[in-house]
Amino acid sequence: MKKVLITGAAGFLGSHLCDRFIEEGFYVIGMDNLITGSIKNIEHLFKLKHFEFYHHDVSRFVHIPGDLHYILHFASPASPIDYLQMPIQTMKVGSLGTHNLLGLAKAKNARILVASTSEVYGDPEVHPQPEEYWGHVNPIGPRGVYDEAKRFQEALTMAYHNFHGLETRIVRIFNTYGPRMRVNDGRALPAFLSQAIRKEALTVFGDGSQTRSFCYVEDLVEGVYRLLMSDYHLPVNIGNPDEITIKEFAEEIIGLVEDEKLEIIYKELPKDDPKKRRPDTTKAKEILGWEAKVSRREGLKRTYEYFKQVLNEST
Ligand code: UDP
């Protein structure tokens, strides 16, 4: 039986990956320090004999007894508010954490996939963003702690590949959404959905003309799985190219909850907020035969059901 270590296992993406690898017949070791993750996301796995959980911070030395075949490094604060509040942990998990896991992969002769991000492109001057674009990042701005940690992570991963011949994979993840996102993580989708469900005004930052392209979590997980199993070691964008302005996105959510009386209020645009973002997914199509399948309409419907349930439980 193949063993996989998933860091950030109690988080949004990590928990969905745990589910997928269990389904595929792996022995899954989940690891999380629970600073942004929640045990609730993986509670259902604790009864399985092919799952175990280590409460551990990967920025410290990581020890796994016995064989290990695959590592997926998904631990990190991931929303702009989280990394503003935890700048040093964010830098440590992307740098020291990555170093520990690359060392573990080397010791175990395991293949490692690291979660990178569209943030490596910063506030992009090329649109849409192909993997060849080097990015436009402010290293000392508020998002720099995340962006530069992830850029360092990519450089270190490539160094282990080139110098030690380690089997490495790098996925650049664009905005992803779905059940198990934290209601209060500050990102646009959880903010808008929870505001709409509570019948509060939706807070659009700036004039809402900035764009994003939202990918449903099930599609993302499929892309990550295919990339891990491929033989391609250079970065691959995984995201849904269906681009929308944030204002239109807020309006879509008002439509979804069927309450046309809901208002939009405009707040200050955070510093260095990217003006445009859309993945060029040519590589994912060519190399992995992958493209996003779940429409925003369908994905939002499923996510809405989840948020209603969570918000009902908390009131
Ligand atoms: N945003 C917004 N209202 C909110 C939260 C976010 O208008 O309550 C905007 C944010 O400024 C950005 C976009 O929505 O332009 C997406 O933000 P998010 O935090 O989801 O992630 P990002 O793509 O910026 O990392």
Side-chain angles (χ1 to χ4, degrees):
M1 190 170 210
K2 298 287 187 198
K3 240 191 202 181
V4 57
L5 167 66
I6 300 178
T7 76
F12 165 47
L13 298 180
S15 64
H16 284 284
L17 286 163
C18 287
D19 288 344
R20 175 66 186 263
F21 279 82
I22 288 284
E23 258 171 54
E24 297 283 346
F26 285 77
Y27 187 100
V28 175
I29 302 172
M31 188 173 279
D32 207 298
N33 66 357
L34 301 176
I35 61 169
T36 58
S38 163
I39 285 292
K40 238 178 161 341
N41 290 336
I42 46 171
E43 226 166 16
H44 57 287
L45 300 173
F46 279 76
K47 60 180 185 293
L48 305 178
K49 66 176 190 299
H50 297 145
F51 179 79
E52 62 182 308
F53 178 72
Y54 290 14
H55 184 188
H56 180 70
D57 182 345
V58 297
S59 301
R60 301 160 71 101
F61 185 82
V62 180
H63 173 70
I64 300 290
D67 285 348
L68 187 63
H69 305 94
Y70 297 99
I71 299 173
L72 289 112
H73 182 24
F74 276 71
S76 179
S79 93
I81 284 193
D82 287 343
Y83 41 83
L84 268 180
Q85 283 166 357
M86 291 173 272
I88 298 174
Q89 282 113 318
T90 303
M91 292 227 71
K92 283 171 77 175
V93 72
S95 56
L96 307 180
T98 301
H99 186 220
N100 288 333
L101 294 163
L102 287 164
L104 178 68
K106 180 166 160 271
K108 301 283 184 183
N109 207 9
R111 182 181 296 181
I112 179 168
L113 179 148
V114 297
S116 187
T117 165
S118 54
E119 282 286 326
V120 301
Y121 303 123
D123 187 7
E125 290 168 316
V126 169
H127 193 72
Q129 295 80 52
E131 288 84 349
E132 291 75 21
Y133 177 48
W134 291 355
H136 180 229
V137 170
N138 175 4
I140 57 166
R143 303 170 85 105
V145 292
Y146 184 66
D147 302 8
E148 296 296 4
K150 291 292 190 181
R151 289 168 68 96
F152 176 87
Q153 173 184 66
E154 290 197 8
L156 191 62
T157 302
M158 288 305 295
Y160 267 74
H161 175 82
N162 293 326
F163 190 72
H164 291 304
L166 193 68
E167 284 210 51
T168 56
R169 306 286 180 267
I170 300 172
V171 59
R172 290 190 182 146
I173 300 172
F174 283 66
N175 294 65
T176 303
Y177 70 99
R180 300 188 193 154
M181 279 187 109
R182 248 167 51 233
V183 171
N184 57 353
D185 87 349
R187 282 188 275 198
L189 181 131
F192 293 166
L193 261 184
S194 53
Q195 287 159 347
I197 293 169
R198 291 180 177 130
K199 310 232 169 272
E200 295 166 1
L202 277 67
T203 53
V204 165
F205 298 163
D207 63 2
S209 63
Q210 69 274 32
T211 69
R212 293 295 185 273
S213 311
F214 295 95
C215 182
Y216 190 64
V217 62
E218 193 180 288
D219 283 330
L220 187 277
V221 166
E222 179 64 29
V224 168
Y225 189 82
R226 288 189 189 202
L227 178 60
L228 180 68
M229 296 309 164
S230 77
D231 56 9
Y232 190 75
H233 72 277
L234 295 174
V236 178
N237 289 338
I238 296 288
N240 189 327
D242 188 359
E243 185 180 2
I244 185 173
T245 69
I246 291 300
K247 180 167 184 277
E248 284 164 342
F249 189 53
E251 287 163 353
E252 253 185 34
I253 291 188
I254 293 175
L256 178 76
V257 303
E258 295 175 335
D259 185 350
E260 302 301 331
K261 288 194 294 296
L262 285 174
E263 282 177 46
I264 292 178
I265 51 171
Y266 293 89
K267 298 209 160 178
E268 197 184 337
L269 188 69
K271 185 166 165 24
D272 297 342
D273 198 285
K275 286 180 270 311
K276 281 180 176 184
R277 186 183 285 159
R278 168 157 56 103
D280 179 332
T281 53
T282 312
K283 275 218 166 63
K285 265 186 224 135
E286 283 174 9
I287 296 164
L288 312 175
W290 177 91
E291 61 186 325
K293 293 219 165 72
V294 182
S295 67
R296 205 167 48 242
R297 171 184 269 275
E298 176 57 29
L300 280 180
K301 231 168 57 191
R302 296 188 208 169
T303 312
Y304 177 37
E305 290 310 312
Y306 171 81
F307 270 72
K308 269 198 292 199
Q309 194 192 324
V310 171
L311 288 170
N312 273 338
E313 280 167 13
S314 66
T315 50

